[in-house]
Amino acid sequence: MRDLDRDRGADRRQQLGMPHVERLDIERSGRNGPSGPSSAAARTTLSRTLPPVAKVAQPGPALEWDTPLYQQARTQLEHALELSEVPELVSTRLRHPERALILMLPVELDDGSYRSFPAYRVQHSSLLGPTKGGIRYDEAVDLGECAALAMWMTWKCALLRLPYGGAKGGVRCNPRELSTPEIARITRRLTAELAPFIGPELDIPAPDMATNEQTMAWMMDTYSMQMGHAVPEIVTGKPVSIGGSLFRHEATGAGVVMVVERACARVGWDLAEQACAVQGFGNVGGIAATELHAKGARVVAVSDVSGGVYSPLGLDIPALHAYVSANGSLEGYMTDVERITNEELLELECDILVLAAREDQVTAANAGKLRCRLVAEGANGPTSVAADAILAERGIPVLPDILTNAGGVTVSYFEWVQDLGRLFWDRDEIRRRLADKMSDAFDRVWSVSQERGITLRDAALVAAIREVAAALVSRGIYP
């Protein structure tokens, strides 16, 4: 295990061009022990580096979306607002979503019974253009999760200089317990209920957790039937046969590796010489693992909901994909690998750790146990605020989600543009345009980080907030 003492952390921060962070008042035994830091220590960490959640100003009683995940997004925003030096008008306007919808979807099940499913859609900001964001089907979907993800999407679109604001929605259900016809009926009912609030110039949904091209095809068809003509630009991430874009499926995972490669070049690492662990082997993690493998990196571990596999010599990524295609998951794969848990994967010794599963994976409890040199966030919100502070103190840079996983929304933007113009590009053109966008955004974030002496996450938020602030100051607030 690498020596994680203070001097090594300081040396690594200097090598990577990271800003100095005041040493945190956490006992080393607490940070590296079996249970990680105590909650009191975690709170101390937070108070010394970022404004604590409890101090986020709220007018009157707590609002309906005030969940821990939304408070995490708000805490990041409040800290970035202090660094951004924007007018009060901007901070007041950006703290809360513009619109939040709560729906109940009555749906007939295959056995003839009926069930109502809660559904949500949150639109955070339309200052830069129509809102944009995914639709997820998951048992944990709630208003706070959608509000947090919508806020992050606003920063993501602004950082990539896309003419969008952020949105997010979902249906609270267990898609693994539903048949394909039941999911289709849920999707069509959701689209019909959302129809007054979405549109190519209002709000453009996309796939997310447990939704895919087929889900978007059902949404596009339902909306088009109500409009009386085909409207392919109402959603992105749909099949190519009805106006979808080439390279959309691969875009998020490929974008993650584009940012990782750019970061490696900045600090003098050869990506082909790095050992990488990827948490998540779905649409994002699976593609990221493939891209890393293709570039010569040694992918030593991957995982999905069934657990993970590890080989210090490197995994056969094409063989893993073939196994998952045939069996549905990594469960049971034993060829020249060691079986590990998702939690164990996070603590493996490696150079680059890609977080491509879901939110809240690296927390105050395990951030002190990570043995990587760089974290890349392929998922949304996988690192808690307290964990961010611990990683910064240890000299482990984090490539933040609003930059690193922005490839998906960028190619979604390309799809929307192609649909509006009814003129489509080839795969090489789209990949080139995506690489240009991701490189430009990374370079601007790196510059802000170096100039201001702040972390890459803070720099990304500052750069994004300034983009939105410029639009708000120009437009003002309609009386």
Side-chain angles (χ1 to χ4, degrees):
M1 182 173 178
R2 291 187 176 89
D3 183 4
L4 302 179
D5 63 17
R6 180 181 183 181
D7 293 339
R8 181 61 179 271
D11 291 343
R12 184 176 298 160
R13 285 193 298 273
Q14 184 175 7
Q15 174 195 3
L16 300 174
M18 293 180 65
H20 171 72
V21 178
E22 179 184 354
R23 181 170 172 80
L24 309 178
D25 188 16
I26 299 178
E27 292 297 327
R28 188 166 303 281
S29 59
R31 193 155 41 88
N32 292 332
S35 60
S38 67
S39 58
R43 286 193 294 273
T44 301
T45 298
L46 187 60
S47 66
R48 289 194 178 197
T49 56
L50 299 176
V53 172
K55 292 184 179 179
V56 173
Q58 289 286 2
L63 298 170
E64 288 76 8
W65 47 66
D66 279 325
T67 62
L69 189 65
Y70 181 71
Q71 290 174 352
Q72 177 181 331
R74 274 290 308 274
T75 300
Q76 292 175 355
L77 171 61
E78 295 299 327
H79 184 60
L81 285 171
E82 293 181 2
L83 300 171
S84 302
E85 301 174 348
V86 295
E88 183 181 0
L89 164 69
V90 175
S91 57
T92 300
R93 183 65 192 83
L94 296 180
R95 284 191 175 105
H96 305 293
E98 291 178 6
R99 174 182 286 154
L101 303 174
I102 301 176
L103 308 168
M104 291 300 293
L105 310 178
V107 176
E108 183 178 5
L109 303 181
D110 291 343
D111 62 5
S113 64
Y114 289 85
R115 181 178 168 190
S116 290
F117 295 90
Y120 309 89
R121 187 68 176 174
V122 176
Q123 299 162 351
H124 177 256
S125 171
S126 60
L127 283 166
L128 295 175
T131 52
K132 184 85 185 70
I135 297 285
R136 57 176 50 187
Y137 292 171
D138 187 74
E139 291 180 295
V141 171
D142 60 28
L143 190 65
E145 177 183 68
C146 292
L149 293 169
M151 181 182 287
W152 283 324
M153 183 60 84
T154 293
W155 313 142
K156 191 179 302 184
C157 293
L159 182 59
L160 272 292
R161 290 178 170 166
L162 308 178
Y164 289 146
K168 184 67 73 169
V171 179
R172 188 183 301 168
C173 65
N174 184 348
R176 292 177 293 278
E177 296 178 353
L178 298 168
S179 69
T180 298
E182 287 170 337
I183 293 175
R185 290 194 287 272
I186 289 172
T187 302
R188 290 185 180 276
R189 182 69 192 217
L190 171 66
T191 309
E193 296 282 359
L194 287 177
F197 307 101
I198 62 175
E201 297 177 346
L202 294 175
D203 181 11
I204 306 147
D208 197 84
M209 188 182 300
T211 57
N212 53 30
E213 288 187 350
Q214 180 59 71
T215 317
M216 295 302 104
W218 289 325
M219 291 195 77
M220 178 265 186
D221 180 69
T222 304
Y223 186 87
S224 296
M225 293 300 292
Q226 295 200 14
M227 295 298 105
H229 58 90
V231 189
E233 59 270 26
I234 179 57
V235 295
T236 59
K238 55 192 174 293
V240 173
S241 61
I242 55 172
S245 177
L246 297 172
F247 203 66
R248 173 59 185 85
H249 173 73
E250 305 98 312
T252 306
V256 168
V257 178
M258 288 174 183
V259 172
V260 168
E261 189 171 31
R262 195 80 170 179
C264 287
R266 283 284 189 170
V267 296
W269 300 351
D270 183 351
L271 179 57
E273 297 177 355
Q274 310 308 310
C276 307
V278 182
Q279 186 200 36
F281 201 62
N283 182 44
V284 179
I287 298 297
T290 298
E291 293 272 330
L292 289 167
H293 181 76
K295 291 181 180 295
R298 181 162 43 96
V299 181
V300 298
V302 298
S303 65
D304 62 13
V305 292
S306 68
V309 293
Y310 168 68
S311 171
L313 299 178
L315 298 168
D316 185 342
I317 299 302
L320 287 172
H321 278 298
Y323 183 88
V324 170
S325 295
N327 298 276
S329 74
L330 291 168
E331 186 174 9
Y333 188 89
M334 295 295 294
T335 306
D336 299 325
V337 299
E338 175 187 341
R339 296 293 308 190
I340 58 173
T341 66
N342 270 288
E343 292 74 20
E344 289 170 335
L345 180 144
L346 296 175
E347 299 172 17
L348 289 173
E349 184 168 2
C350 62
D351 298 302
I352 299 168
L353 174 62
V354 178
L355 303 175
R358 59 180 304 160
E359 61 271 1
D360 206 30
Q361 297 300 297
V362 179
T363 66
N366 63 3
K369 303 176 188 177
L370 267 58
R371 293 190 287 163
C372 59
R373 296 198 293 163
L374 175 71
V375 173
E377 294 186 332
N380 290 311
T383 308
S384 74
V385 173
D388 255 343
I390 294 171
L391 294 176
E393 189 270 340
R394 292 183 58 202
I396 300 175
V398 178
L399 299 175
D401 48 4
I402 66 169
L403 167 65
T404 311
N405 68 25
V409 70
T410 302
V411 176
S412 282
Y413 165 65
F414 296 162
E415 180 178 336
W416 180 69
V417 169
Q418 292 171 86
D419 285 336
L420 289 172
R422 302 299 193 266
L423 179 65
F424 295 87
W425 309 328
D426 63 27
R427 183 180 298 271
D428 291 342
E429 174 75 2
I430 294 167
R431 185 172 186 121
R432 183 189 65 77
R433 288 175 180 265
L434 173 63
D436 288 345
K437 278 284 191 183
M438 300 300 288
S439 296
D440 174 68
F442 176 85
D443 290 346
R444 284 185 283 110
V445 169
W446 184 270
S447 295
V448 172
S449 174
Q450 296 298 297
E451 292 168 4
R452 300 290 303 276
I454 56 180
T455 66
L456 293 172
R457 187 185 310 282
D458 285 341
L461 287 167
V462 167
I465 289 169
R466 285 176 174 172
E467 295 285 337
V468 183
L472 179 55
V473 170
S474 297
R475 292 182 56 172
I477 292 182
Y478 184 74

